[in-house]
Amino acid sequence: MELGLLGLSLLIPSQAWAHGVEASYQAIPTFQIEARYDTGEPLASAQVTVFAPTDPTRPWQEGQTDAAGRFVLQPDPELRGLWQVRIRQAGHGVLLNVPVGDLESGTAGISSSSPSFGPLQRGVMAACVIWGCLATALFFSTPRRATPSTRSEFTSPALEHD
Amino acid sequence: MGTLELWANGEAFIREGFVSKDGWALSFNQVYVTLADITAYQTDPPFEPESDGELQVQTQVGLPGPITVNLVSTPEERALLGSLTAPAGHYNALSWRMVPAVFGPATGYSLWIQGSAQGDPGETIDFVLKFPQELAFTCGEYVGEERKGFVTPDQTADLEATFHFDHLFGDGELPPEDSLNQSALGFAPLAALAVQGSLEMDWASLQEKLSPAEADSVVEILRGLGHVGEGHCRETAARP
């Protein structure tokens, strides 16, 4: 599936005559972020702050990672641009840049990095897995599993201790 | 145009003292760092210090320095390096060089640490550690409780060069197996070099007295000293 679909919406209204109820569903882009130390230890219950591209100074969403260091971001697909996700825990911090919209071939705007820090520095790895719209729809209708053709990852290690 | 203030911060570890990983209670009288070519950038895309990418600079402002500050005696918990008139925008990267001071007590040294360590009851070591290394740090966006570097017309924003000294001495509040403590030198290897409760050594002497592994660890620790809050920096040693 092409990530060029990212940001598009799939809106399929279905008519239901009883009681005049109408239901529809819409696929929206979903980003699963996973934060862990370079030792493999997850950043469990880390503080997560999401900033939308339209207002980088005011949190759009706040939350925390789960026990596995994961956080699911569902940005407003109408707000295209660079979303930024700040993950902090006990003096360790990372700022992850998540491009939303206008992605092509699954790699546009995605960066990958290889840590260049010395062995004496403890890294925080933040990986982001992106599903496009169709995959998102499938996400809700099938068991969660990796979909290699529709996901990309990038890592942004940062790290350290206050 | 707005104003961008540039600060240096040694954190509470330096201002208030702390216990090293090996149980020495450290307090600090003077910690001088000397910075030069302190430059704030607006970059697009955001700079990732851990990647191989280079700064994609849109706008930059800077202080040439060198500027020597004492990270201990600061009225506002951090030391002001200077204020700059800056075009509006988000300054999301910062770089600086640590260079030897050209005047004052730290002359010839980029990092000068003077303090006192208390071990067992009644055991006190007064120490001065002097490092001449030139180090260059290029960092991404400040990472902390709040985002920094947003300059708006006629308003003042700030950025901060942050120095993590727990990387050198370790943190007694963390378990020994914590990776920070695993990689920190601690104070015990330095205490072993003290004579009659006193230790004053420059890097050349420390290299001779410490084990090769300990000396190598100090080099790595210095390379990781510079941060932007909790955010990382890329270090390139100008002169080891």
Side-chain angles (χ1 to χ4, degrees), chain B:
Chain B
M1 300 290 276
T3 301
L4 182 64
E5 294 180 342
L6 302 177
W7 297 77
N9 190 346
E11 302 182 296
F13 288 110
I14 287 299
R15 293 189 304 273
E16 301 170 10
F18 65 107
V19 177
S20 71
K21 72 172 188 177
D22 36 25
W24 288 82
L26 307 175
S27 59
F28 300 90
N29 309 114
Q30 320 280 349
V31 176
Y32 293 107
V33 292
T34 300
L35 281 63
D37 299 329
I38 311 151
T39 309
Y41 309 88
Q42 296 183 35
T43 70
D44 185 20
F47 174 67
E48 295 181 344
E50 54 286 312
S51 75
D52 295 329
E54 297 300 316
L55 284 169
Q56 301 296 319
V57 179
Q58 311 294 304
T59 303
Q60 69 182 66
V61 294
L63 295 166
I67 300 167
T68 300
V69 291
N70 182 356
L71 298 175
V72 181
S73 302
T74 58
E76 298 184 63
E77 296 191 345
R78 51 185 188 162
L80 181 64
L81 298 165
S83 296
L84 294 162
T85 298
H90 183 204
Y91 290 82
N92 57 357
L94 181 69
S95 70
W96 69 88
R97 291 192 303 126
M98 278 178 61
V99 299
V102 293
F103 67 90
T107 296
Y109 299 100
S110 57
L111 173 62
W112 165 294
I113 305 172
Q114 180 178 358
S116 180
Q118 291 192 322
D120 293 332
E123 185 179 16
T124 299
I125 295 174
D126 295 319
F127 62 91
V128 181
L129 306 172
K130 299 176 281 190
F131 300 93
Q133 284 92 332
E134 289 189 15
L135 301 162
F137 296 97
T138 304
C139 318
E141 181 176 336
Y142 175 91
V143 178
E145 192 64 36
E146 61 182 23
R147 299 185 76 180
K148 292 183 180 293
F150 293 93
V151 173
T152 55
D154 303 321
Q155 299 295 313
T156 299
D158 71 285
L159 286 178
E160 178 186 292
T162 315
F163 298 91
H164 289 200
F165 285 95
D166 53 340
H167 287 227
L168 178 60
F169 299 110
D171 185 348
E173 292 188 359
L174 295 175
E177 62 271 16
D178 188 279
S179 60
L180 176 88
N181 284 335
Q182 290 290 313
S183 59
L185 177 69
F187 191 78
L190 301 170
L193 306 179
V195 178
Q196 296 181 336
S198 179
L199 170 68
E200 180 167 352
M201 281 193 182
D202 63 12
W203 174 235
S205 299
L206 284 171
Q207 275 186 299
E208 287 181 10
K209 303 287 187 180
L210 293 172
S211 72
E214 289 168 338
D216 288 345
S217 76
V218 172
V219 171
E220 284 297 323
I221 289 163
L222 293 179
R223 293 185 62 197
L225 195 65
H227 291 71
V228 277
E230 298 159 8
H232 233 314
C233 299
R234 183 188 300 173
E235 187 277 335
T236 53
R239 184 165 61 86

